[in-house]
Amino acid sequence: MKKSEILFSDELREYILSTLREEEALRRLRIETSKDQNAIWQIPPEQGQFLSFLIKLLGAKKALEIGTYTGYSALCVALALPDDGKVITCDISEDFTNIGRRYWQEACVAHKIDLRIARALDTLAALIASGEAGTFDFVFIDADKVNYDHYYEKSLTLLRPGGIIAIDNVLLFGSVIDPNLLDDELRARITDEDIRVVRTLNEKIKQDSRIDETMLPLADGLTLVRKR
Ligand code: CA
C-alpha cells in the first residue's frame, strides 16, 4: 500500500490534485522534497490544503507542529494564519528544516514560524513549564510514531478547550490492521513498536471522554481531536 492510495485510483487522485489550490512556494518545496528518500513522510498537497482550511475555520492564531521535516505542513499552516499568528514547529534535524527555511522566506511567512531544534518532548515540556498550557488553538502531530501517545498527552495539555489536534499516519499504511500490508521499503521504516503505539492510541482516543474525535481516511489517515 503506497501513500495516498488507500481509497483512490491513480486517475481519481490525479483529478483531485488537479482541483487544488497550491501556492507556488508550496509546489516547489513539495517537488524538491519528493527527491528525498524520506519523502514518504511528507504530507500530500490535498492534506496540506485541508490543514490550511482548518486553521482558517478555527480562526487559529497560535499553532504547534510536532515534526517539521522539510517544512511543507508548517508552510501550509503559516500561510493560513493571520499576519500576527504564530506556529511553533519542532524537529531534531537542521538539514531537513533548512530546506523549509528557504521556502518560508520566499513565501514571506518566516516571521510566523518559530522553529525549535530539540527533542519535541523537551520543547513541549518547556512550553508547559513556561505557562503556555491551554493556549494553543491547533496542534499537528506528525513525528516519530513511538512517542505518539506522549505527544498526544502533552498536546492536549497545551490545547485550549475547543482547539483541535490533527494526528497524521493513524492508519500507518494499513499496518494497523495487518503488518503484512507493508511493502519491503515501508517494513524497513515502520517497527512493530510503531504499529503497537499507533493502534493503542487509536483505541485510547475512541474511549477518551476529554475530547470529541473523527478519523478521516485522508492520505495515510488523519484523526482530528477537539478538546472539550
Ligand atoms: Ca506524516
Side-chain angles (χ1 to χ4, degrees):
M1 187 178 291
K2 286 190 288 177
K3 188 156 200 168
S4 309
E5 291 182 351
I6 293 169
L7 287 177
F8 300 107
S9 64
D10 287 349
E11 293 76 11
L12 200 48
R13 177 136 191 286
E14 282 304 314
Y15 177 76
I16 292 170
L17 294 183
S18 76
T19 69
L20 330 152
R21 302 180 190 182
E22 187 181 37
E23 299 246 354
E24 180 59 16
L26 280 170
R27 193 184 66 82
R28 294 202 301 103
L29 171 55
R30 177 167 58 82
I31 289 167
E32 178 170 347
T33 304
S34 69
K35 295 166 187 154
D36 180 70
Q37 59 175 349
N38 298 298
I40 193 156
W41 296 118
Q42 171 160 270
I43 63 166
E46 66 271 36
Q47 186 178 351
Q49 183 169 261
F50 180 71
L51 294 181
S52 297
F53 189 91
L54 265 185
I55 292 289
K56 291 183 181 178
L57 184 68
L58 270 171
K61 287 186 79 169
K62 190 172 177 184
L64 174 65
E65 176 181 61
I66 303 168
T68 315
Y69 185 37
T70 62
Y72 184 90
S73 43
L75 183 51
C76 291
V77 170
L79 284 165
L81 286 169
D83 198 55
D84 61 346
K86 188 169 81 167
V87 53
I88 294 173
T89 183
C90 309
D91 209 283
I92 52 172
S93 169
E94 290 276 5
D95 290 342
F96 288 137
T97 54
N98 278 338
I99 295 170
R101 283 180 196 272
R102 287 192 272 115
Y103 291 93
W104 301 341
Q105 296 279 355
E106 182 189 317
C108 303
V109 293
H111 62 288
K112 297 188 220 173
I113 302 177
D114 178 355
L115 172 62
R116 308 277 176 98
I117 300 286
R119 284 181 70 240
L121 286 176
D122 294 341
T123 300
L124 301 180
L127 289 170
I128 292 168
S130 66
E132 300 201 48
T135 66
F136 283 82
D137 302 304
F138 178 78
V139 183
F140 182 45
I141 299 177
D142 189 18
D144 54 303
K145 311 311 169 201
V146 284
N147 280 309
Y148 256 34
D149 186 56
H150 301 299
Y151 295 147
Y152 174 68
E153 286 298 329
K154 294 272 192 297
S155 297
L156 208 49
T157 299
L158 286 163
L159 201 67
R160 66 162 168 87
I164 285 183
I165 305 174
I167 309 168
D168 199 27
N169 301 106
V170 295
L171 299 176
L172 221 44
F173 304 97
S175 65
V176 288
I177 55 167
D178 182 0
N180 295 319
L181 289 171
L182 300 176
D183 62 22
D184 290 346
E185 192 198 340
L186 283 169
R187 201 67 189 93
R189 291 165 181 273
I190 295 171
T191 66
D192 290 343
E193 182 65 1
D194 293 335
I195 298 168
R196 190 192 65 76
V197 169
V198 171
R199 274 181 180 154
T200 305
L201 179 60
N202 288 341
E203 278 301 312
K204 171 176 162 173
I205 286 172
K206 181 181 170 185
Q207 316 285 347
D208 194 340
S209 61
R210 298 171 295 177
I211 53 104
D212 301 299
E213 59 102 14
T214 180
M215 182 190 280
L216 302 176
L218 175 64
D220 185 33
L222 183 74
T223 290
L224 301 182
V225 158
R226 178 186 176 277
K227 186 174 178 176
R228 287 179 173 166

